[in-house]
Amino acid sequence: IHLFARIDVMASLSMLGDVQEALRLSREHALLGSYDTALTYYDGVVAQIQLMLASCNDTSERQGWANAKETVQDEAQIVKDLCTAMAVFKEPPGRGAAGAFSHVSQLPSRGAQAQAQPRDPDVWAPPTPDVGGGQGGGGMRRGGAAAQPSRRDAGGDLPS
């Protein structure tokens, strides 16, 4: 009996290492933009976790694997969404992309985002337009030398 328990533990550790490696590869491929390859690895990870769930007898361990499976499936869904978004850019403009940006209208506008977020005191507000027509007051002068008289005008000779 002890021999079979040890074989089960060894098989579980080997399978755990396989899950870790496949998950690492799926994330790496997703980061590098190889979304199709990443999805293949994600599918493999989900299948391996499903095998672990089937062979698991402990309730708490089973719950942990179920949570891990859900997390991996969520990551895979994000990669699938990226694939869908990237497919829009592969289409030529004006062809088949009529509804491609329909989700954009659901996003909050820039004004709504600015109102929803609290104002950060360390960030300056955007500059206001100069309503004075550029004359007098608040604008910058165009030449630094025009503000000071030259030495020649002051009656002195220029140094040599």
Side-chain angles (χ1 to χ4, degrees):
I1 295 176
H2 296 291
L3 180 62
F4 291 120
R6 186 175 178 146
I7 291 173
D8 268 353
V9 169
M10 297 292 281
S12 293
L13 289 176
S14 174
M15 188 175 262
L16 180 61
D18 292 344
V19 168
Q20 288 176 330
E21 180 64 14
L23 186 58
R24 184 189 68 76
L25 287 170
S26 60
R27 289 174 174 167
E28 185 175 323
H29 282 285
L31 285 172
L32 295 174
S34 301
Y35 301 123
D36 293 330
T37 305
L39 286 173
T40 302
Y41 279 106
Y42 274 118
D43 289 341
V45 170
V46 170
Q48 287 176 331
I49 291 174
Q50 188 60 42
L51 287 174
M52 294 293 280
L53 276 168
S55 67
C56 189
N57 295 330
D58 183 24
T59 311
S60 63
E61 187 178 347
R62 182 182 261 294
Q63 185 60 39
W65 282 112
N67 291 342
K69 179 181 173 184
E70 185 178 334
T71 301
V72 170
Q73 287 174 329
D74 290 345
E75 285 184 28
Q77 185 60 48
I78 290 169
V79 174
K80 286 177 187 175
D81 292 344
L82 283 171
C83 283
T84 303
M86 294 297 290
V88 170
F89 295 107
K90 292 179 181 176
E91 291 289 325
R95 281 195 184 167
F101 293 102
S102 62
H103 67 283
V104 174
S105 63
Q106 298 171 358
L107 296 175
S109 66
R110 182 180 173 113
Q113 286 176 344
Q115 290 174 356
Q117 296 175 353
R119 187 179 176 293
D120 185 356
D122 293 334
V123 177
W124 292 359
T128 57
D130 188 12
V131 293
Q135 297 175 359
M140 289 182 60
R141 295 187 183 182
R142 291 200 178 177
Q148 298 177 353
S150 68
R151 290 184 185 210
R152 206 175 288 220
D153 292 341
D157 292 341
L158 288 176
S160 46

